[in-house]
Amino acid sequence: YDATLTTKLRQAGIPILGKTNMDEFAMGSSTENSAYGPTHNPWDTSRIPGGSGGGSAAALASYQAPLAIGTDTGGSIRQPAAVTATVGTKPTYGTVSRYGLVACASSLDQGGPCGRTVLDTALLHEVIAGHDPRDSTSVDAPVRPVVEAARQGAAGDLKGLRVGVVKELHSDSYQPGVIASFDAAVETLTKLGAEVVEVSCPHFEYALASYYLILPSEVSSNLARFDAMRYGLRVDDGTMSAEQVMAATRAAGFGKEVKRRIMIGTYALSSGYYDAYYGQALKVRTLIAQDFDKAYEQVDVLVSPTSPFTPWKIGEKVDDPLAMYLSDLCTLPTNLAGHCAMSVPSGLSADDGLPVGLQIMAPALADERLYRVGAAFEVARGPVLV
């Protein structure tokens, strides 16, 4: 059967060209954790295209497709967009149906649009968004006027708009070329008439730890259904008990990163550790959402680099999970809060000539703000040279 998102694409007359590669169960930041092998970045085929939706971003960047779909659990739309000089949006949680999507972490997952321009992405956003009674987390609210906002932004300026630079997402530990590109983007927003101020979100520094307890815990629960009994892969030599078939199938069927997260999540949910790990992570999640609320009392949107790094070499970090996880530092907080965010190309890094992304964040159900700011910046920035 089709996911609701796919049904909406078909109803709009959009041809579906195929399925793109991704990290297994959307777990990864490089599209190297795939049974089909890694996807390569069109800007430099020795480098990763981001993840988990690297296939979608690579298809866009290499002009194999004009539009693509991704899912974003902690940055899997925005981080690939950043490192391939494409546009990707994580809509407000619940505004695009998850019915028919394979569950990774149900309280974080969100399908969203990917494109080469802000307007293209907005047009796709309006097609796939909307309430779906088959998704219990679906928000029963009108689709935001993102296309109108994109056109308004492209045609006008940003006078009267308040933009917050998140202090905790601007660090000397980020790649110098990324920080330089981001600072230049902020200067562009100022020239467009926006009022730019620095804001502090003190609990963002705990987002990574909180996310990597909440996500694995939900993964442990969601992937329990892949038990070789109901559907999917089944490893059975005819002599095994049901328990042996389950164990053998899960051992053979899940990749290294997926097993790692299942084990972390199962441990975090286990008796005696639930309150110390999962329970504490949920409390931190609340504090992060409160930081956002306080910030949006002062500004209309927040901005940061999308990823602290440009794309690294394939194989460079595959054996260092923590180094891989750090690439999502800037994108994780939005998912924990259920808000919306976009990555739009900010230019090329002076370090290595590779793409850098500008992340624009807005409150829940204010997705149109992303498109107004993104489109205005896109016009002022000019083409990203290939």
Side-chain angles (χ1 to χ4, degrees):
Y1 64 96
D2 279 346
T4 296
L5 192 154
T6 306
T7 299
K8 285 177 173 285
L9 294 175
R10 294 193 194 280
Q11 290 172 343
I14 297 176
I16 296 174
L17 303 178
K19 296 181 180 180
T20 50
N21 198 20
M22 62 186 292
D23 288 295
E24 182 185 5
F25 287 101
M27 297 182 204
S29 303
S30 65
T31 316
E32 292 173 282
N33 301 323
S34 169
Y36 300 98
T39 297
H40 300 256
N41 192 320
W43 286 81
D44 178 346
T45 54
S46 70
R47 296 177 183 269
I48 59 100
S52 61
S56 293
L60 290 170
S62 57
Y63 287 78
Q64 295 181 62
L67 301 168
I69 296 293
T71 59
D72 194 308
T73 304
S76 289
I77 287 175
R78 289 162 289 157
Q79 188 250 6
V83 301
T84 59
T86 57
V87 180
T89 298
K90 187 206 91 67
T92 297
Y93 179 80
T95 56
V96 173
S97 174
R98 292 190 299 113
Y99 178 79
L101 276 62
V102 174
C104 175
S106 302
S107 74
L108 301 164
D109 298 343
Q110 184 56 65
C114 311
R116 282 196 291 269
T117 69
V118 173
L119 179 58
D120 282 356
T121 309
L123 289 162
L124 183 58
H125 189 144
E126 285 202 0
V127 167
I128 63 175
H131 177 61
D132 180 10
R134 293 181 294 183
D135 176 0
S136 63
T137 61
S138 180
V139 175
D140 191 1
V143 176
R144 305 304 299 177
V146 294
V147 172
E148 178 186 342
R151 288 181 169 140
Q152 177 191 9
D157 54 41
L158 297 179
K159 288 178 182 174
L161 191 88
R162 295 168 298 166
V163 175
V165 174
V166 183
K167 176 184 174 184
E168 288 75 14
L169 300 181
H170 191 286
S171 169
D172 291 339
S173 65
Y174 294 7
Q175 189 173 319
V178 169
I179 289 297
S181 180
F182 172 72
D183 289 344
V186 171
E187 182 63 29
T188 299
L189 295 176
T190 302
K191 290 177 180 176
L192 286 167
E195 177 189 351
V196 177
V197 298
E198 184 180 81
V199 299
S200 178
C201 296
H203 297 100
F204 279 21
E205 67 176 292
Y206 307 113
L208 186 71
S210 174
Y211 176 86
Y212 278 105
L213 284 169
I214 293 171
L215 174 132
S217 296
E218 296 188 13
V219 161
S220 172
S221 176
N222 275 328
L223 269 57
R225 71 192 69 179
F226 293 90
D227 58 6
M229 297 294 139
R230 287 169 283 190
Y231 56 86
L233 181 70
R234 182 184 180 95
V235 176
D236 185 359
D237 65 6
T239 66
M240 297 178 175
S241 67
E243 290 81 4
Q244 289 171 327
V245 169
M246 288 183 194
T249 301
R250 290 170 70 81
F254 290 139
K256 186 188 296 185
E257 181 62 25
V258 174
K259 290 176 183 174
R260 180 183 292 117
R261 298 193 193 193
I262 290 173
M263 288 189 287
I264 292 171
T266 304
Y267 183 82
L269 293 175
S270 61
S271 177
Y273 296 99
Y274 181 95
D275 291 336
Y277 291 103
Y278 185 68
Q280 287 294 100
L282 291 179
K283 292 176 183 177
V284 171
R285 183 179 196 170
T286 299
L287 293 173
I288 289 169
Q290 290 173 352
D291 280 355
F292 270 117
D293 291 342
K294 290 175 184 175
Y296 288 130
E297 289 174 3
Q298 307 171 55
V299 296
D300 300 301
V301 298
L302 299 170
V303 293
S304 77
T306 307
S307 174
F309 322 111
T310 56
W312 55 90
K313 295 275 188 179
I314 291 173
E316 185 178 326
K317 299 183 180 182
V318 73
D319 294 321
D320 187 349
L322 183 57
M324 195 83 78
Y325 298 165
L326 290 172
S327 66
D328 296 328
L329 270 176
C330 301
T331 53
L332 298 176
T334 298
N335 296 82
L336 290 169
H339 294 172
C340 55
M342 163 192 285
S343 180
V344 62
S346 65
L348 303 179
S349 167
D351 302 330
D352 48 26
L354 294 169
V356 179
L358 169 68
Q359 180 176 221
I360 307 162
M361 297 166 274
L365 299 177
D367 302 54
E368 67 274 12
R369 296 184 194 176
L370 307 176
Y371 288 94
R372 180 190 169 197
V373 177
F377 173 75
E378 183 179 64
V379 170
R381 182 209 65 216
V384 177
L385 297 178
V386 178

